[in-house]
Amino acid sequence: MKKLALFAFVCALSLSPAAEACLSCGCGSTGSAADLGAIGGAASLFADNQRWLIQSGASFRQVTGSFNEAGQWFETPTDSLLQSYQALLGVMYFPAPGLSLGLQLPVQGNLLSGVSWGNFGSLTPTDRPAALGYGLSDLQLQASYRFWGWEEGALAAWGSASLPTGRLDPAQPEAATGSGQTGLSGGLMLLYRPLQPVIDLSRHDLHTWWQGLIWEAFANLGYAQTLGEPPTGMSPFFQGQSLMYQLQGNVAFAPGWIAGLGLNGQLGSWQAGAGRQQLASRVKVVPSLQYEFNLSQGLRFAVGYDLPVLGANSLTDTSVYLVYYQFFK
């Protein structure tokens, strides 16, 4: 199961949902509330003990619009621009089979022109000229543990903590690189990969080709909760709680090449003061392509697109992600 399970892990290598910043599986930068984060990923489903994983990557996010509280979607204002860029360095250690501990350090930049972050996942038109801000984003601590495995799959639990090391200054919205709040999240992940049947290679018909495909399915369900109120009033990235789900299918179509298609969703609420909440939701489609140089290293490219349906009080975006990973003993 190791080779394709590695793909599922890299698919889950994004930042925690509390900060909602990531590089893969179709998430965006801070404020993208669509994804389950890196949280140890599916690596704990197969990784050997006393191994290290180093990952580095970059992402680009273009905000395309926003949903209001009634679920209506609106494009970004004409001649406006809201882009985010992120670089990530992540380190993960596997002290025992099925157990992972990780730390991720993200750096983020934002380019805003004619528009700014608004409350409850909205966009606010402005007359400010183009402004660029950047800085350290929220640090992520993560862990996962495989507690059940069988011949065709495995089930693991994960947990994640987001530390408010990113900047949050209402006077400089382009410099917003963090949620301003400590966040905790956890959940369950399931990986299923059917055993490959013995194929008669002397046959070359479509039926035989289909039987010989190596594929896997990956599901993730999680819950995120921020602790307390945002320190500077209403933060554009602050949410009280979220239920998140991720479905991913992967197939090896050529030696070293793996194609994937994912669906990431979020259903939660913004904290709108004492006893008040605003519902939030969004859905993202994520096609991806990965090339494995060998069993220890590879490169993954993914594109995430937020659907202009099934949303409320959320920004939408189109994002591009490139991640390089390598395992070490």
Side-chain angles (χ1 to χ4, degrees), residues 119-142:
N119 291 338
F120 309 123
S122 65
L123 293 170
T124 301
T126 69
D127 55 3
R128 297 182 63 194
L132 176 65
Y134 56 90
L136 178 69
S137 189
D138 293 341
L139 288 174
Q140 313 297 319
L141 303 175
Q142 59 217 29

Side-chain angles (χ1 to χ4, degrees), residues 259-321:
L261 181 63
L263 181 72
N264 301 336
Q266 174 256 352
L267 178 63
S269 62
W270 292 88
Q271 189 74 23
R276 296 180 57 241
Q277 293 183 333
Q278 291 279 354
L279 294 180
S281 63
R282 64 187 295 192
V283 178
K284 185 186 290 288
V285 175
V286 191
S288 58
L289 182 66
Q290 178 170 321
Y291 179 70
E292 296 178 335
F293 301 108
N294 51 53
L295 290 179
S296 297
Q297 61 179 325
L299 193 66
R300 180 174 185 272
F301 174 79
V303 177
Y305 172 71
D306 281 318
L307 301 177
V309 295
L310 302 177
N313 291 311
S314 296
L315 295 178
T316 61
D317 62 68
T318 298
S319 305
V320 178
Y321 319 92

Side-chain angles (χ1 to χ4, degrees), residues 154-281:
L155 188 65
W158 57 265
S160 178
S162 172
L163 306 181
T165 53
R167 184 178 178 185
L168 184 60
D169 184 355
Q172 293 183 287
E174 68 277 2
T177 61
S179 65
Q181 199 67 30
T182 299
L184 301 177
S185 56
L188 295 173
M189 66 183 82
L190 171 68
L191 177 69
Y192 172 74
R193 180 188 176 194
L195 296 177
Q196 188 176 11
V198 177
I199 300 299
D200 182 2
L201 298 179
S202 64
R203 299 177 59 192
H204 300 287
D205 56 30
L206 182 61
H207 178 69
T208 300
W209 171 83
W210 173 256
Q211 283 187 324
L213 281 179
I214 302 174
W215 64 275
E216 68 180 8
F218 177 73
N220 207 340
L221 181 67
Y223 175 80
Q225 176 71 60
T226 49
L227 304 180
E229 298 289 334
T232 57
M234 179 54 66
S235 162
F237 310 133
F238 178 81
Q239 290 182 289
Q241 55 190 344
S242 286
L243 176 68
M244 292 159 292
Y245 58 89
Q246 179 184 43
L247 302 173
Q248 177 81 21
N250 310 312
V251 60
F253 63 92
W257 289 96
I258 302 171
L261 181 63
L263 181 72
N264 301 336
Q266 174 256 352
L267 178 63
S269 62
W270 292 88
Q271 189 74 23
R276 296 180 57 241
Q277 293 183 333
Q278 291 279 354
L279 294 180
S281 63

